Every structure is written in C-alpha cells, then in structure tokens.
Amino acid sequence: MSDDYLPGIYQQFLERFPEVAEAQGNLARTIRERNPFDDRTDRLIKLAIAVGAEAEGAVRSNVRKALQHGASLDEVRAVALAAVTTCGFPAAIAALGWIEEVATAP
C-alpha cells in the first residue's frame, strides 16, 4: 500500500509520532504472527470488532484490507449484517454505509 493510499490522519500520526507508530506496528506484527487465521479471516474478524466498536476509520481500513486479502464484498457486508442482532441496528447500518463508500471509492 502506498503512502498516497493512507488516510491523511494516519499519515500525520506517522510523521508526528514515529516511535509510537513503530511500537504499535511491532505489536500488531507480533499479534498477527501468533494468530492461527489466514489473512482474509483475520481481516474479517478485525472488521467485525471494528463494526461492534463503531470505529469508522477501523471499519474502512479493514474493509479495504479484507478485500485486498480475497474477501468478497458480500462477505464484508455479511459481517455488518451480523451486527444487527449483536451490536444493534444503528451500528450495522453505519457500517454498511462505510462499507459501500469504500467499495465505490475510485
């Protein structure tokens, strides 16, 4: 992923707090290396967590990454739909909106 693809706020974080970004990146790598899931499944799980947390940036990021790792748009949408009964209708609808915006972005 090129730096042009990264959201501006994340680029600012990298520039302003490089040591924190490096530490966070190391932690993320350690966790990823320890989990038993393939990249596609890992991203769908992270997407589900982000939907439940109503974390817009994390939803958008994990939608992009899930699609890059072979998840279908239907699978990504299914994660948001599953949130209706566990996280509530508003969280699911918000996530579906963010998913569609990512899916239709140039």
Side-chain angles (χ1 to χ4, degrees):
M1 178 182 316
S2 73
D3 285 347
D4 295 340
Y5 192 69
L6 297 174
I9 190 68
Y10 186 69
Q11 289 180 29
Q12 290 173 2
F13 167 73
L14 292 173
E15 292 169 11
R16 290 184 183 151
F17 308 104
E19 68 287 350
V20 176
E22 182 179 356
Q24 188 276 332
N26 288 336
L27 177 60
R29 272 186 295 286
T30 300
I31 292 168
R32 188 171 47 250
E33 290 167 0
R34 186 166 174 20
N35 88 43
F37 304 108
D38 60 57
D39 289 337
R40 179 187 151 282
T41 303
D42 181 57
R43 285 300 163 183
L44 290 171
I45 291 167
K46 288 178 180 176
L47 173 60
I49 293 166
V51 169
E54 297 183 53
E56 179 180 354
V59 168
R60 291 174 181 277
S61 175
N62 283 292
V63 167
R64 284 191 298 270
K65 291 175 183 177
L67 294 172
Q68 289 170 353
H69 288 291
S72 70
L73 190 52
D74 284 341
E75 290 171 319
V76 169
R77 288 177 179 137
V79 169
L81 286 175
V84 169
T85 58
T86 56
C87 303
F89 188 74
I93 291 302
L96 284 167
W98 300 327
I99 289 166
E100 294 308 317
E101 288 173 5
V102 169
T104 59

